[in-house]
Amino acid sequence: MKLSHTLALTLPLASGWAMAADLSVTFQLPKMKVAEYHKPYVAIWIEKADGGVASTLAVLYDVKKKDEGGEKWLKDLRTWWRKAGRDLDMPIDGVSGATKAVGSHSMEFANATGDLPAGKYKLVVEASREAGGRELVRLPFTLPAKGKLAAKAAGKEELGAVSIAIQ
């Protein structure tokens, strides 16, 4: 099943744009009533206006699976995989991490947008479960922006609420 959502609200909250912007992402993994539940793999990246990947921020998967067996399921993060994943040599320090349990999770990325040129971007969160579904949530934002940016959206199945803050 493929679901894709683009819902966002971008709000300038204060003045004083800092070039070395920190980005925080909060995403929710909903509890599911299924017979066979596996924690989802999640990829978080910044997408350029042309659809290319500006930066992969995080890839959460079974990094401890024997013989790098968790990497074979990264292909299920189909959008990220086609755009960037298949060209990367996993695991990557500071990018690869363990899967997350059901609940709300926050991740901080120092200077995540500091090197990006002015323009339109999207923060993309993709989740995919073994024997489950897949879902994308995109949050558009523009650089440079005056002040702090915040955006939020929500998935319908594999992802719950997703929000970003850039300052």
Side-chain angles (χ1 to χ4, degrees):
M1 175 187 318
K2 178 181 177 184
L3 296 173
S4 179
H5 305 283
T6 302
L7 302 171
L9 176 62
T10 303
L11 301 171
L13 299 175
S15 62
W17 170 254
M19 290 305 291
D22 293 332
L23 185 145
S24 64
V25 178
T26 301
F27 61 96
Q28 185 176 42
L29 300 174
K31 185 174 183 176
M32 299 184 166
K33 293 181 179 179
V34 293
E36 184 181 350
Y37 180 81
H38 299 273
K39 293 177 185 175
Y41 283 17
V42 176
I44 302 171
W45 72 94
I46 297 174
E47 189 174 79
K48 297 184 279 188
D50 67 1
V53 174
S55 175
T56 297
L57 301 175
V59 181
L60 310 177
Y61 67 101
D62 191 350
V63 293
K64 292 186 177 181
K65 198 164 192 171
K66 191 175 183 178
D67 299 325
E68 300 175 350
E71 293 179 23
K72 81 176 192 179
W73 299 105
L74 291 174
K75 296 174 188 168
D76 288 352
L77 295 165
R78 283 185 260 158
T79 302
W80 171 78
W81 180 258
R82 290 178 184 147
K83 292 179 180 235
R86 62 182 161 198
D87 297 328
L88 298 175
D89 188 20
M90 302 299 285
I92 301 172
D93 283 343
V95 173
S96 301
T99 57
K100 304 288 185 189
V102 168
S104 184
H105 305 279
S106 294
M107 300 184 80
E108 304 287 329
F109 304 97
N111 197 24
T113 60
D115 295 333
L116 298 176
K120 294 184 178 189
Y121 296 92
K122 293 176 185 165
L123 180 98
V124 186
V125 179
E126 181 176 20
S128 178
R129 280 183 308 113
E130 181 182 340
R134 183 179 72 87
E135 187 168 33
L136 287 174
V137 173
R138 287 186 166 93
L139 298 163
F141 62 93
T142 302
L143 296 175
K146 294 182 179 180
K148 187 176 176 181
L149 294 176
K152 59 184 176 180
K156 293 184 177 179
E157 293 182 12
E158 301 296 327
L159 289 166
V162 177
S163 63
I164 62 169
I166 302 171
Q167 57 183 347

